Amino acid sequence: MKGANHMKMTMIKTNEADGIVLDWLLAKTRGVEIVNPNQLGEAIRLKQDGRCADALYSPITNWLQGGNVVEDLIEAGFHFQKGEFQPCKCIRVKGDEVIVGFGPTILVAAGRAWVTMQLGDEAEVPKKLLSDEPLARSRSARP
């Protein structure tokens, strides 16, 4: 995530992060090396040998990338709940601390819970990810 200090950043609520913003936060908190957001295009791309690889990084839509987030949360004492007409919920109650991630899918709920556990209720993200540019729009419209 080299070069992130040169970007304009803004604060968001971690439990509201979605799309490319949530993918970016997961990369940041899980130590995944990605291309500088100023060079992203319409998706987060992984770095390989210091260069942009063809591989996309989207742990909130790809079980091969996001499944380990779910496993890590279960090991950390989180539980998942899904009702017929309710969003997915990932929750851990530990003493007075309650961490909850909601989402339309298990991967989104897990991503929000993980980021909240790692960074707290708010986090800084590159402003470019929240803009009206195609980058932000293309990812927020995912099923």
Side-chain angles (χ1 to χ4, degrees):
M1 307 261 263
K2 210 173 187 181
N5 295 335
H6 300 16
M7 293 178 273
K8 290 182 180 180
M9 305 292 278
T10 189
M11 294 295 285
I12 65 156
K13 292 183 186 230
T14 51
N15 212 8
E16 295 175 1
D18 197 17
I20 198 166
V21 173
L22 186 52
D23 287 338
W24 187 88
L25 285 166
L26 282 162
K28 177 180 177 181
T29 58
R30 296 189 66 80
V32 175
E33 192 176 8
I34 60 170
V35 174
N36 180 324
N38 286 327
Q39 305 166 349
L40 284 175
E42 292 191 7
I44 290 183
R45 296 198 175 273
L46 294 169
K47 271 190 180 178
Q48 186 175 12
D49 300 323
R51 296 180 167 163
C52 180
D54 287 336
L56 299 179
Y57 184 70
S58 184
I60 65 167
T61 60
N62 182 337
W63 271 95
L64 292 176
Q65 295 171 342
N68 60 355
V69 175
V70 173
E71 289 174 2
D72 290 348
L73 287 167
I74 291 169
E75 288 179 16
F78 282 80
H79 302 278
F80 289 86
Q81 300 171 349
K82 172 76 172 116
E84 189 174 345
F85 299 105
Q86 300 171 356
C88 295
K89 179 166 69 171
C90 177
I91 185 169
R92 179 179 77 181
V93 178
K94 195 174 186 180
D96 290 341
E97 179 188 49
V98 177
I99 298 175
V100 181
F102 291 97
T105 67
I106 290 172
L107 290 177
V108 171
R112 289 175 177 164
W114 176 266
V115 169
T116 300
M117 180 177 72
Q118 297 297 315
L119 301 176
D121 293 333
E122 292 186 329
E124 261 192 331
V125 298
K127 202 170 192 171
K128 176 178 180 133
L129 297 181
L130 299 171
S131 72
D132 288 334
E133 296 177 32
L135 171 67
R137 280 198 317 266
S138 67
R139 293 295 296 261
S140 63
R142 292 195 269 199

